[in-house]
Amino acid sequence: MTDNVVPLFKAPLNTADTIPAAAPAPTAHDAVRPVRVWRRTGRGLRAAVTSEQTRAAARLVARHGMYVIGGTRITAKRTWDGRTASRYERMIRAAEAGGNFEEAKEWEDRLQRFRAGRHHRRMDLLRSAPDLAKSALYGTGLTVGGLLLLGIVLAIANKDITWVVGPIGAVIEAIRWAVMVATVVWGPALTVGPWLALLALWGVGRRQQTAPQWTLPAQQRDTAGAPITPSIVVTALRDLGIAPLRGAIKEMGDAGAAMLSPIRIAGCGVEVDVTLPSGVSTEEVQKRRRKLAENLARHEHEVFITIPTAARTVRLWIADSGALDEPIGPSPLVTDETATANYKTGKAPWGQDLRGDAATLSLYQRMVLITGLSNQGKTAALRALALWLALDKTVEFRIADLKGVGDWGMFDGLATTLIQGPTDEHVIEATEMVEGLVAEMERRIQAPPGTVFPPLVGIVDEAQVAFMCPAVGDDKRPYGGSKATSRYFMAVRKIHNQGRAVDVVLWEGTQDPTDQNLPKLVREGAHTRVSLVLGTESQARMALGDKAVDGGAAPHLLRQGLDKGTVVVASDGIAIPAGQASITVRTHYIDTEQATEVAERAKALRDGVITAHAIDHGPAVDPLADILSVLGEAPRVLTQDVLKRLASLNEDAYGGWSFIDLKRVLDGTGAEPYKSDGRMVIGRERIARVLANRPDEGSASAAE
């Protein structure tokens, strides 16, 4: 058993056994071992470098380092701008580049004033050095003298001569303590001060986001709101899903850059013209507005597509991200108490266009129609125009507010007629008010040529209530509707046809337009057509016309509730870029309190206006009875003679009557005019029979 045991250690037999054996020859396996170790190390290093943790750490260091560098640059630039004239020179160059030479001249004047003021300050500083030295010596002597005088008083009081230098010694001791405290604080301040300065620079850079986009965390690297560049525009057009456009861009040697005009800064956004390749229509691009906006990293309402004068070209206006959600400034009517108006030559300051320029509207001899969905700022926009025009004391207003909640209450004492209310009775009064405008228009037309009349502006807010009114008058004519017998409709049409020639104009505000509550002839009779947000494209065409919508006007793409007061205007009374049929305006909002203040200023310009809240019908007349009386004993009388006799009987009631008015009164009574010997006559027997059979309560009616 023991013979088979192999010892763990065996003693050497002789000294030769102590010599180490030669190292074995290296094998191929031993030769590749360092290579494998190097590969494993390289893979580990590569994994460490490319890991997300390492990248995040590198971005963190780079980001905060760039905050410090950017903060230093911004602080230095601010300091340089504050001490030099570089800011003024920069603004001059920008104004000249934009072609605004008046603004450039204004900045140049400011630059001259800045340099003159800086020169005066430097000269004053040089001249003040001797005076400062004299003042210092004088002050030091005065202080020492005062301390000695105080010491003498104390020495006399304490009967001790050492008190003479007591106050001076106290001052010296205070200075010694101040130096001691400063010595203690100075060391830590030198240590902490640079770090505090570095922290302040870091804070400036962080607030201004001076770090590059790639250094931000992954969740913050968002392209929304990124600056618009030619490559971004071309890529957005390429990805619209229009095959000919995509193919043409691929075939272009410059990758589509030749399609674009220079990108111009336009207000709170940029503007660029895109010349489309052959086979691509402007309509195809317009229909993909939402997709184009998303490709540009914008919301749909931040991209506007219009058609300029150049053929096969679309003009893109791309807002800065979120810029359209910021409110515009207050109206000049509110901020400038000296503002005035001129009906003929002036323009109402209504708001700002998308480029940030002031949008002003001429109202001279123009019918106005403004429409939109409910509660989107229609009344405020229309009222702002009226408030401006009210500052021209020659203008007369007659207003019917068929909502009746007080939106036009500030015109009480300013308008000669103010009707407020939504009922059928208010619609009847509004209709009679418009018919009164027609009567005044016809009177002016009959005046000698060259006669100048003061402007007369009729305003009907919520006009859809009038068009949809079911009331019928005593003459069987409906007040609402759009037929030839509808009183409100026909009165509006008459003013549209001839009113502007004699400065009688009508403004209407309606909501949610349809063919029923806004007849085609009425909406096409307006010279200035304005639309707030609408629900459908068909409504947009009703509001603005086919030409404006085909040219890019899209009030139906505005956001309900978010774009209150934003209007699309089709009118020759406002400056519209060449080639476009409409312009988008963000109107100034004037609340009721501010509107009241403006109205009070307008009232102060007038001698005093008495406002009627109902239509004065004058003394009651009975047309049928008057017709019977002027017929006399003749069995029949020519209609022309009847009209002349009625005018002689009552000029106020019948002076403006025509055959149409006479026929309207007699239609449906059984005593209509008829022909006798080829001429229209009225029969006495028929009129008498109608009066005999008429109920007593209907014996009187108002003259039209």
Side-chain angles (χ1 to χ4, degrees):
M1 195 68 160
T2 58
D3 295 336
N4 297 328
V5 176
V6 179
L8 295 176
F9 298 96
K10 185 177 180 179
L13 296 177
N14 50 43
T15 56
D17 294 335
T18 62
I19 299 174
T27 64
H29 177 75
D30 295 332
V32 299
R33 184 178 299 169
V35 177
R36 290 179 177 176
V37 172
W38 180 84
R39 286 179 178 175
R40 286 196 298 268
T41 304
R43 285 196 296 269
L45 182 61
R46 188 184 306 112
V49 171
T50 59
S51 67
E52 184 58 34
Q53 291 83 355
T54 304
R55 292 181 177 181
R59 285 197 299 266
L60 179 68
V61 173
R63 179 167 68 252
H64 291 284
M66 292 305 297
Y67 284 159
V68 175
I69 295 174
T72 303
R73 186 183 70 252
I74 292 173
T75 303
K77 186 175 183 300
R78 289 175 179 174
T79 304
W80 180 259
D81 286 345
R83 303 292 297 176
T84 67
S86 61
R87 176 184 301 170
Y88 299 93
E89 294 171 352
R90 187 168 60 251
M91 296 303 296
I92 291 172
R93 289 193 298 270
E96 289 176 345
N100 194 343
F101 297 105
E102 293 184 0
E103 184 178 353
K105 186 178 183 303
E106 181 181 349
W107 279 107
E108 187 174 358
D109 293 340
R110 294 182 182 180
L111 173 60
Q112 296 299 330
R113 291 195 296 270
F114 169 79
R115 286 174 172 168
R118 183 178 61 184
H119 175 72
H120 288 315
R121 288 192 298 272
R122 289 175 177 175
M123 296 304 297
D124 291 342
L125 183 62
L126 292 175
R127 287 193 294 265
S128 65
D131 296 337
L132 184 63
K134 293 179 181 178
S135 298
L137 292 175
Y138 177 76
T140 302
L142 188 63
T143 302
V144 172
L147 292 174
L148 286 174
L149 181 61
L150 178 61
I152 293 172
V153 172
L154 292 174
I156 295 173
N158 295 313
K159 297 179 181 180
D160 187 355
I161 192 64
T162 59
W163 280 93
V164 173
V165 295
I168 296 178
V171 171
I172 294 173
E173 184 67 14
I175 294 173
R176 186 179 72 82
W177 276 102
V179 172
M180 185 182 299
V181 172
T183 303
V184 173
V185 175
W186 183 250
L190 287 178
T191 303
V192 177
W195 292 102
L196 292 177
L198 195 65
L199 182 62
L201 295 174
W202 175 86
V204 172
R206 186 173 183 272
R207 283 194 300 271
Q208 298 296 326
Q209 291 295 313
T210 58
Q213 189 77 8
W214 63 268
T215 64
L216 299 178
Q219 62 270 23
Q220 295 183 13
R221 292 197 300 272
D222 187 4
T223 59
I228 299 299
T229 62
S231 61
I232 290 177
V233 176
V234 172
T235 303
L237 292 169
R238 184 197 65 194
D239 297 338
L240 274 183
I242 304 175
L245 180 59
R246 184 181 185 90
I249 292 175
K250 285 184 177 180
E251 294 174 1
M252 292 180 183
D254 56 1
M259 299 167 51
L260 308 182
S261 70
I263 297 178
R264 306 175 294 275
I265 296 177
C268 57
V270 296
E271 188 177 73
V272 59
D273 289 349
V274 181
T275 302
L276 300 176
S278 178
V280 182
S281 69
T282 57
E283 184 180 4
E284 290 179 285
V285 178
Q286 282 184 305
K287 289 180 178 179
R288 289 170 171 80
R289 174 182 172 184
R290 174 175 295 180
K291 190 171 184 178
L292 178 61
E294 292 172 350
N295 292 348
L296 293 168
R298 295 294 191 272
H299 295 290
E300 184 178 13
H301 70 278
E302 294 175 332
V303 175
F304 288 82
I305 306 173
T306 55
I307 310 298
T309 53
R312 212 173 64 245
T313 302
V314 293
R315 178 168 294 163
L316 306 180
W317 185 86
I318 307 161
D320 298 336
S321 186
L324 295 184
D325 296 327
E326 298 294 330
I328 65 173
S331 170
L333 299 180
V334 176
T335 58
D336 184 6
E337 295 186 357
T338 62
T340 58
N342 188 295
Y343 167 74
K344 186 173 182 179
T345 61
K347 290 189 175 183
W350 209 15
Q352 294 180 0
D353 62 16
L354 296 180
R355 294 170 177 79
D357 299 328
T360 57
L361 179 66
S362 172
L363 301 171
Y364 177 60
Q365 293 186 345
R366 288 178 174 88
M367 311 292 171
V368 178
L369 172 65
I370 180 168
T371 186
L373 297 181
S374 177
N375 194 31
Q376 298 303 307
K378 168 179 56 61
T379 297
L382 185 62
R383 187 177 64 187
L385 297 177
L387 286 170
W388 174 80
L389 193 56
L391 297 176
D392 183 345
K393 63 181 181 179
T394 65
V395 179
E396 177 187 352
F397 289 95
R398 300 183 188 180
I399 301 173
D401 175 18
L402 298 182
K403 183 189 298 181
V405 295
D407 289 338
W408 295 86
M410 68 288 302
F411 279 82
D412 193 352
L414 188 58
T416 55
T417 301
L418 179 59
I419 298 166
Q420 301 182 89
T423 66
D424 289 349
E425 288 73 17
H426 293 101
V427 172
I428 292 172
E429 292 182 349
T431 302
E432 293 173 346
M433 180 195 80
V434 177
E435 289 175 340
L437 294 175
V438 174
E440 174 62 18
M441 175 191 72
E442 292 175 344
R443 184 189 70 81
R444 294 184 177 189
I445 291 175
Q446 295 173 1
T451 305
V452 178
F453 299 100
L456 175 57
V457 179
I459 301 175
V460 180
D461 196 11
E462 306 296 341
Q464 76 280 355
V465 178
F467 285 113
M468 300 301 292
C469 178
V472 178
D474 294 335
D475 56 0
K476 308 301 181 184
R477 294 181 63 199
Y479 287 92
S482 57
K483 296 182 179 179
T485 57
S486 301
R487 292 179 58 178
Y488 180 80
F489 170 75
M490 291 305 299
V492 171
R493 288 291 300 135
K494 290 178 181 179
I495 296 175
H496 282 182
N497 289 338
Q498 296 179 301
R500 63 176 298 275
V502 289
D503 288 320
V504 177
V505 295
L506 181 64
W507 301 355
E508 291 180 287
T510 69
Q511 63 175 252
D512 201 11
T514 65
D515 283 328
Q516 288 72 38
N517 63 25
L518 187 58
K520 180 179 180 180
L521 292 177
V522 171
R523 58 183 186 251
E524 291 185 350
H527 305 98
T528 296
R529 300 171 71 171
V530 183
S531 177
L532 293 100
V533 57
L534 290 172
T536 64
E537 181 179 334
S538 61
Q539 287 185 317
R541 292 183 180 276
M542 290 181 190
L544 299 175
D546 292 336
K547 180 180 178 181
V549 175
D550 291 338
H556 55 290
L557 296 181
L558 296 174
R559 301 166 298 167
Q560 185 174 1
L562 298 177
D563 290 325
K564 285 187 176 182
T566 300
V567 298
V568 183
V569 185
S571 172
D572 61 350
I574 191 170
I576 297 178
Q580 296 181 201
S582 65
I583 187 172
T584 301
V585 176
R586 302 170 69 196
T587 60
H588 295 295
Y589 176 67
I590 304 177
D591 61 31
T592 303
E593 182 178 351
Q594 295 170 336
T596 302
E597 295 176 359
V598 177
E600 290 300 323
R601 299 206 306 265
K603 293 175 186 177
L605 300 175
R606 291 165 168 79
D607 295 333
V609 177
I610 299 176
T611 300
H613 297 277
I615 302 301
D616 184 10
H617 300 91
V621 295
D622 186 348
L624 289 177
D626 290 340
I627 291 173
L628 180 62
S629 66
V630 299
L631 290 177
E633 299 298 328
R636 67 187 66 88
V637 177
L638 295 174
T639 53
Q640 294 92 332
D641 294 338
V642 172
L643 290 172
K644 293 177 182 178
R645 295 177 186 181
L646 286 173
S648 300
L649 178 67
N650 190 334
E651 176 66 26
D652 294 335
Y654 305 115
W657 270 35
S658 64
F659 174 75
I660 295 176
D661 298 301
L662 184 61
K663 184 175 182 298
R664 172 175 48 81
V665 171
L666 298 177
D667 279 348
T669 63
E672 296 86 350
Y674 62 93
K675 281 190 177 182
S676 175
D677 296 331
R679 304 184 68 181
M680 298 299 293
V681 298
I682 296 176
R684 185 181 187 283
E685 182 180 352
R686 295 184 181 186
I687 298 293
R689 183 167 61 250
V690 171
L691 288 172
N693 296 331
R694 187 175 64 178
D696 293 339
E697 61 270 18
S699 60
S701 62
E704 300 301 327

